[in-house]
């Protein structure tokens, strides 16, 4: 009996320390619901600011305003291309606002009716914008005879702004000598067969920097758990001693805060039960945490099936082991948008029927009006079944396009065409593809014309080779991610992020992205559109070899790293792969004065969500071992484990960190998921 009496005080002391650590962590992590509350207030304030400005632009979230705008623009007729381009900037801005509302607003704040309304408005605006560009093209072609080139007699025009580029050629003379056309000083052009060179046609290459063909992402709706809550209540009643129950007020406050902790749409909607701080029985704690994990899975619903996903923040998979492989695409020519994404915009290729031309009669301008708007020219026409391929006079059309310098392809892209019947992108139908990566030129031949896009692998940068999160000062840090192709620095300051640096050549124009402060959601969208997709989706584990980690452990690690980000640097470790799915291993070191941590200054830490420890091994050790570092002890949280090795100066920085900065760091880590995808 004597040994037991000696051990009892020690056990009680350990329990008290665990309780104190979890209580302190609970208070520190109130910064996350505070940040969500702040974002909600900002959303409300922005709507009010728009209302009082009265600048004439509609609020896209208000159905009556956006419907009125759409109706009024539809009624305007015969607008020229410059007027449509000017109005298109507003339309694209309205679409972007609606997309950000769906991405930034927590799902529990959006009703099913609102989601349907916003997505319906996006589709209407897309359709109307395309209709207006077709209408403006028709107006332009009616005046083609007055805009003809002095040498060829045909019309060639390039009209562009920051969002679109319109290349139009009108075959006014029908001279078969002019079959190969190149627009101005560009490399954009086409070569048509004789059958088209002698027809009343116009050829249009309409390049948009946006993609209005690919389907809208599915917005998953949150589900209210029922059975899991019962499990939590039953376990608490059966195994929690009455004298050690958490205070009722604290529990209510905890529940209230959970609703605010919900991450923005760019992440999985994670509602995590705060740690239970006063349970003495390990079985009860384990049961509750298991129930919390199940509740996490029940409530966590990704907002985008692809974080193509636009997402923004990547979603944590519901299982650590990727046994739920996405349904395979049966047709190998159909582009799987979970694994690949259009990049660089859409090239609309159109052969158009040349409309009747305007004629000047004295002081009158006369033009024949044809109903039906802009008409396409059917090519090739229906061919009789008895005509052989050798006798077919309708040869393929060769098209040359330039790839903008504001997008980056790290490998030779695939070319895909839009299948209007199947509502998807296909890679078949192309002949003699040629791609010059240095000159950024692509040419191909097609038997008919379609909307064309270039496709890049969503996971070309995954898994990462390494990562490091470094503090730059109070409420300022930088996340460096090294991939096979490049090195990326994302800087965080307060609640804003920017792409600070990326290793590329001088042949790119990234002024729209580099050095621009923006919200995390906007940054993720912009980086994906440029070709820097380092943000896993819920399907990514099926396409990338990853270190499978428990999502709940991973999330807890990111939250506590964020709390320490003003004073500590964190980095990848090769031992993370060998630690198993229930534990994460990484390097950490205090960093205040210097720019980088020296190799010998790093320490290794291991965390399983409930216990943190400093490891005795280092990165150069011959084998992995979970042996505890000498003169150190276990802690219940990662925060308190690292706090043992923190100077007073660093501790002051950590304590004075702004809650918006902590939240931003956590969201960025959740978006990149560096512990799993490196």
């Amino acid at each position: 009996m004597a040994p037991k009496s000696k051990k009892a005080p020690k056990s009680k002391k350990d329990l008290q320390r665990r309780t104190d650590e979890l209580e302190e962590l609970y208070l520190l992590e109130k910064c996350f619901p505070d940040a969500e509350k702040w974002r909600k207030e900002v959303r409300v304030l922005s709507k009010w600011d728009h209302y009082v400005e009265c600048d004439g632009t509609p609020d896209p979230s208000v159905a009556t305003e956006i419907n009125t705008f759409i109706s009024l623009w539809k009624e305007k007729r015969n607008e020229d291309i410059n007027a449509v381009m000017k109005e298109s900037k507003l339309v694209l801005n309205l679409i972007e606002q609606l997309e950000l509302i769906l991405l930034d607003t927590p799902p529990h704040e959006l009703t099913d009716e609102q989601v349907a309304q916003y997505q319906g408005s996006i589709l209407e605006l897309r359709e109307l914008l395309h209709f207006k560009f077709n209408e403006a093209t028709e107006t332009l072609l009616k005046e083609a005879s007055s805009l003809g080139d002095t040498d060829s007699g045909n019309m060639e025009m390039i009209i562009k702004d920051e969002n679109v580029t319109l290349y139009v050629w009108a075959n006014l003379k029908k001279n078969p000598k002019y079959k190969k056309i190149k627009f101005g000083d560009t490399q954009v052009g086409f070569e048509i067969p004789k059958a088209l060179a002698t027809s009343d046609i116009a050829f249009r290459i309409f390049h948009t920097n946006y993609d209005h063909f690919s389907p809208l992402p599915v917005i998953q709706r949150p589900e209210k758990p029922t059975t899991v809550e019962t499990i939590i209540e039953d376990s608490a009643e059966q195994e929690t001693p009455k004298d050690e129950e958490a205070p009722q007020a604290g529990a209510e406050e905890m529940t209230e805060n959970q609703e605010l902790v919900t991450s923005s749409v760019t992440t999985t909607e994670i509602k995590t039960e705060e740690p239970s701080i006063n349970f003495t029985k390990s079985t009860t704690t384990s049961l509750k945490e298991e129930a919390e994990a199940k509740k996490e899975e029940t409530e966590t619903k990704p907002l985008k099936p692809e974080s193509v996903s636009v997402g923004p923040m990547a979603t944590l998979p519901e299982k650590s082991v990727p046994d739920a492989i996405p349904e395979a695409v049966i047709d190998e020519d159909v582009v799987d948008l979970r694994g690949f994404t259009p990049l660089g915009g859409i090239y609309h290729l159109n052969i158009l029927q040349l409309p009747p031309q305007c004629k000047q009669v004295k002081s009158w301008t006369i033009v024949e009006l044809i109903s039906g708007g802009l008409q396409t020219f059917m090519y090739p026409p229906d061919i009789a079944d008895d005509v052989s391929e050798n006798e077919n006079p309708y040869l393929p059309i060769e098209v040359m396009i330039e790839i903008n310098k504001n997008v980056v392809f790290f490998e030779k892209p695939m070319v895909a065409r839009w299948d209007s019947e199947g509502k998807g992108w296909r890679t078949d139908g192309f002949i003699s593809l040629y791609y010059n990566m240095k000159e950024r030129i692509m040419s191909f031949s097609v038997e008919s014309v379609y909307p064309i896009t270039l496709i890049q692998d969503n996971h070309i940068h995954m898994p990462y080779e390494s990562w490091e999160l470094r503090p730059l000062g109070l409420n300022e840090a930088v996340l460096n991610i090294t991939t096979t192709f490049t090195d990326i620095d994302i800087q965080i300051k307060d609640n804003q992020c920017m792409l600070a640096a990326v290793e590329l050549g001088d042949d790119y124009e990234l002024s729209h992205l580099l050095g621009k402060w923006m919200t995390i959601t906007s940054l993720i969208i912009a980086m994906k559109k440029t070709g820097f997709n380092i943000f896993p989706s819920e399907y990514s584990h099926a396409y990338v070899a990853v270190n499978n980690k428990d999502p709940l452990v991973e999330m807890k690690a990111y939250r506590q790293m964020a709390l320490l980000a003003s004073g500590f640097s964190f980095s990848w470790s090769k031992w993370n792969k060998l630690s198993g799915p229930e534990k994460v291993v990484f390097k950490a070191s205090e960093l205040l004065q210097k720019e980088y941590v020296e190799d010998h200054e790093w320490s290794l830490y291991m965390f399983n969500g409930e216990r943190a420890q400093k490891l005795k091994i280092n990165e150069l050790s011959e084998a992995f071992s979970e042996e505890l570092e000498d003169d150190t002890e276990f802690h219940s949280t990662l925060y308190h484990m690292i706090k043992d090795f923190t100077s007073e100066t660093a501790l002051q920085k950590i304590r004075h960190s702004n809650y918006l900065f902590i939240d931003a760091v956590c969201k960025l880590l959740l978006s990149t998921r560096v512990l799993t995808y490196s």
Side-chain angles (χ1 to χ4, degrees):
M1 297 298 295
K4 289 185 179 180
S5 61
K6 290 180 180 178
K7 288 183 179 180
K10 182 178 179 181
S11 176
K12 189 174 181 180
K13 180 181 178 182
D14 289 344
L15 177 62
Q16 184 59 45
R17 187 181 69 174
R18 171 179 168 79
T19 301
D20 293 343
E21 289 180 351
L22 292 177
E23 283 180 340
E24 184 179 1
L25 181 65
Y26 167 68
L27 294 173
L28 291 169
E29 289 191 338
K30 282 189 175 182
C31 64
F32 299 113
D34 288 345
E36 186 55 54
K37 183 179 179 181
W38 177 84
R39 280 192 295 273
K40 184 175 182 179
E41 292 171 352
V42 168
R43 287 193 293 271
V44 173
L45 184 61
S46 64
K47 287 180 70 69
W48 174 252
D49 289 342
H50 182 274
Y51 175 78
V52 298
E53 279 178 7
C54 294
D55 58 0
T57 61
D59 183 343
S61 65
V62 179
T64 53
E65 291 189 30
I66 195 66
N67 291 339
T68 301
F69 171 81
I70 291 172
S71 299
L72 291 175
W73 199 28
K74 277 182 180 178
E75 292 173 1
K76 291 184 180 180
R77 295 294 181 181
N78 301 320
E79 290 182 288
D80 63 26
I81 190 66
N82 292 319
V84 173
M85 280 188 166
K86 182 179 180 180
E87 193 73 0
S88 71
K89 295 176 184 177
L90 172 58
V91 174
L92 291 171
N93 182 259
L94 294 174
I95 292 173
E96 182 181 349
Q97 288 182 50
L98 287 168
E99 290 173 341
L100 286 175
I101 289 172
L102 291 170
L103 290 171
D104 270 340
T105 308
H108 67 272
E109 292 184 18
L110 289 175
T111 64
D112 293 341
E113 292 75 16
Q114 286 176 314
V115 172
Q117 174 198 320
Y118 299 156
Q119 290 187 328
S121 296
I122 290 173
L123 293 175
E124 281 193 73
L125 289 169
R126 284 182 174 187
E127 184 178 346
L128 178 59
L129 185 59
H130 191 66
F131 169 78
K132 283 294 182 178
F133 273 118
N134 282 345
E135 194 177 57
T137 302
E138 182 185 13
T139 302
L140 178 65
L141 289 175
K142 287 178 180 178
E143 303 171 355
S145 57
S146 62
L147 302 170
D149 180 67
T150 54
D151 295 332
S152 66
N154 297 322
M155 185 195 80
E156 294 179 23
M157 290 198 72
I158 304 175
I159 307 170
K160 67 182 298 183
D161 67 5
E162 63 269 27
N163 298 311
V164 301
T165 305
L166 182 65
Y167 305 90
V168 185
W169 176 79
N171 189 21
L172 299 171
K173 297 301 181 181
K174 296 182 284 295
N175 187 341
K177 183 175 72 171
Y178 296 105
K179 297 191 300 180
K180 188 170 185 177
I181 305 299
K182 190 173 79 168
F183 290 94
D185 297 330
T186 71
Q187 297 297 321
V188 178
F190 58 88
E191 184 173 356
I192 54 177
K194 184 178 180 179
L196 286 175
T198 55
S199 301
D200 282 323
I201 66 159
F203 199 99
R204 180 178 75 167
I205 302 177
F206 180 38
H207 178 219
T208 62
N209 291 336
Y210 50 82
D211 172 16
H212 285 176
F213 279 96
S214 298
L216 289 175
V218 177
I219 304 299
Q220 299 286 348
R221 308 305 298 134
E223 297 178 3
K224 294 182 179 180
T226 53
T227 57
V228 175
E229 290 178 353
T230 304
I231 293 173
I232 294 174
E233 291 173 2
D234 290 348
S235 64
E237 291 175 2
Q238 292 175 10
E239 300 196 31
T240 305
K242 291 183 179 180
D243 58 340
E244 294 180 357
E245 288 181 353
Q248 181 66 25
E252 290 177 358
E253 185 181 14
M254 199 179 299
T255 304
E256 179 182 351
N257 285 332
Q258 284 173 6
E259 297 178 359
L260 296 173
V261 171
T262 310
S263 300
S264 64
V265 168
T266 50
T267 137
T268 318
E269 190 196 1
I270 299 171
K271 294 185 180 179
T272 310
E273 293 283 341
E274 298 295 343
S276 178
I277 57 177
N278 286 327
F279 288 115
T280 57
K281 294 185 180 181
S282 59
T283 54
T284 304
T285 303
S286 301
L287 181 58
K288 282 187 66 64
E289 300 225 355
E290 181 181 353
E292 289 169 10
K294 290 180 180 178
K295 185 174 182 179
E296 180 87 19
E297 292 182 5
T298 306
E299 292 191 352
T300 299
K301 292 294 178 183
L303 294 168
K304 298 182 86 108
E306 312 101 23
S307 256
V308 186
S309 89
V310 314
M313 271 191 168
T315 57
L316 295 174
E318 296 184 359
K319 298 181 180 180
S320 58
V321 180
D323 54 357
I325 304 298
E327 183 180 348
V329 177
I330 298 174
D331 191 338
E332 62 180 11
D333 292 323
V334 174
V335 176
D336 179 6
L337 292 179
R338 292 165 295 194
F340 299 88
T341 188
L343 189 61
I346 310 298
Y347 298 85
H348 304 252
L349 308 181
N350 305 105
I351 303 174
L352 306 169
Q353 183 73 51
L354 193 62
Q357 297 299 294
C358 298
K359 296 180 181 179
Q360 288 293 134
V361 179
K362 295 183 179 181
S363 60
W364 294 85
T365 301
I366 302 174
V367 62
E368 180 185 355
L369 297 179
I370 299 178
S371 62
L374 192 65
Q375 301 293 315
T376 59
F377 185 90
M378 182 64 69
Y379 184 89
D382 293 333
I383 303 173
D385 294 337
D386 57 350
V387 176
S388 65
E389 292 185 4
N390 295 332
E391 297 174 350
N392 185 4
Y394 303 106
L395 301 175
I397 302 164
E398 184 179 359
V399 180
M400 292 79 71
I401 60 174
E402 283 182 339
I403 302 172
N404 284 356
K405 292 185 177 181
N406 59 0
V407 293
V408 183
F409 288 92
F410 293 91
E411 287 182 343
K412 180 181 177 180
M414 295 189 296
V415 187
R417 62 180 179 87
W418 179 252
D419 178 12
S420 57
E421 293 183 0
K423 301 298 182 184
W425 295 103
R426 298 183 61 91
T427 56
D428 57 349
F430 297 95
I431 307 168
S432 60
L433 278 166
Y434 170 76
Y435 177 59
N436 186 323
M437 198 165 183
K438 184 177 181 181
E439 299 294 330
R440 301 179 67 79
I441 299 170
M442 177 166 278
S443 66
F444 50 84
S445 296
V446 287
E447 294 180 346
S448 188
V449 291
Y450 323 86
I452 302 295
T453 192
L454 304 180
I455 301 293
Q456 179 168 276
D457 186 350
N458 278 335
H459 307 98
I460 193 169
H461 296 297
M462 304 176 203
Y464 320 130
E465 292 189 351
S466 65
W467 63 272
E468 184 177 348
L469 177 68
R470 297 192 306 274
L472 299 178
L474 182 62
N475 299 323
E476 195 169 357
V478 62
L479 176 64
N480 169 266
I481 293 181
T482 301
T483 74
T484 304
F485 296 97
T486 189
D487 200 65
I488 298 172
D489 282 351
I490 299 176
Q491 191 170 337
I492 312 124
K493 187 174 183 180
D494 298 328
N495 67 320
Q496 298 278 296
C497 294
M498 76 170 177
L499 181 63
V502 58
E503 285 190 0
L504 289 173
D506 299 327
D507 299 330
Y508 298 96
E509 297 174 0
L510 303 179
S511 57
H512 68 289
L513 180 58
L514 270 173
K516 303 292 184 182
W517 289 104
M518 56 188 83
T519 65
I520 292 180
T521 304
S522 298
L523 179 70
I524 292 173
I525 294 172
M527 288 183 64
K528 285 183 175 182
K529 286 183 178 179
T530 306
F532 304 125
N533 189 354
I534 53 172
F535 309 102
S537 73
E538 62 173 322
Y539 298 114
S540 294
H541 63 277
Y543 298 88
V544 184
V546 298
N547 298 323
N548 300 312
K549 299 296 177 181
D550 185 327
L552 191 58
V553 173
E554 193 179 356
M555 185 197 67
K556 287 182 177 180
Y558 294 147
R559 287 164 70 105
Q560 294 178 49
M561 284 181 185
L563 291 171
L564 297 157
S566 281
F568 262 77
S569 183
F570 298 91
S571 184
W572 74 286
S573 170
K574 67 180 182 182
W575 302 121
N576 186 44
K577 186 175 182 179
L578 301 178
S579 61
E582 304 300 326
K583 304 182 185 75
V584 294
V585 175
F586 49 86
K587 295 183 292 188
S589 175
E590 184 178 300
L591 185 64
L592 297 177
Q593 304 296 330
K594 297 183 296 183
E595 188 174 353
Y596 294 97
V597 177
E598 299 292 338
D599 289 342
H600 67 275
E601 295 176 325
W602 289 111
S603 297
L604 281 175
Y605 293 87
M606 186 170 70
F607 182 54
N608 68 357
E610 298 179 3
R611 189 175 72 171
Q613 67 186 87
K614 186 177 182 182
L615 297 178
K616 190 171 185 178
I617 60 171
N618 58 42
E619 202 66 16
L620 300 178
S621 299
E622 294 183 357
F624 177 68
S625 170
E626 296 186 7
E627 185 178 353
L628 191 68
E629 173 71 297
D630 296 337
D631 301 322
T632 65
E633 55 187 353
F634 295 106
H635 283 273
S636 299
T637 73
L638 178 62
Y639 175 86
H640 291 90
M641 181 72 250
I642 294 179
K643 188 179 172 183
D644 280 356
F645 307 95
T646 306
S647 68
E648 186 59 33
T649 304
L651 203 55
Q652 288 302 316
K653 275 193 173 184
I654 291 168
R655 287 171 177 168
H656 289 89
S657 295
N658 185 275
Y659 67 100
L660 295 177
F661 167 74
I662 295 171
D663 183 71
V665 173
C666 181
K667 287 183 180 298
L668 187 57
L669 291 173
L670 277 167
S671 297
T672 52
R673 298 197 59 199
V674 290
L675 290 172
T676 292
Y677 285 85
S678 61

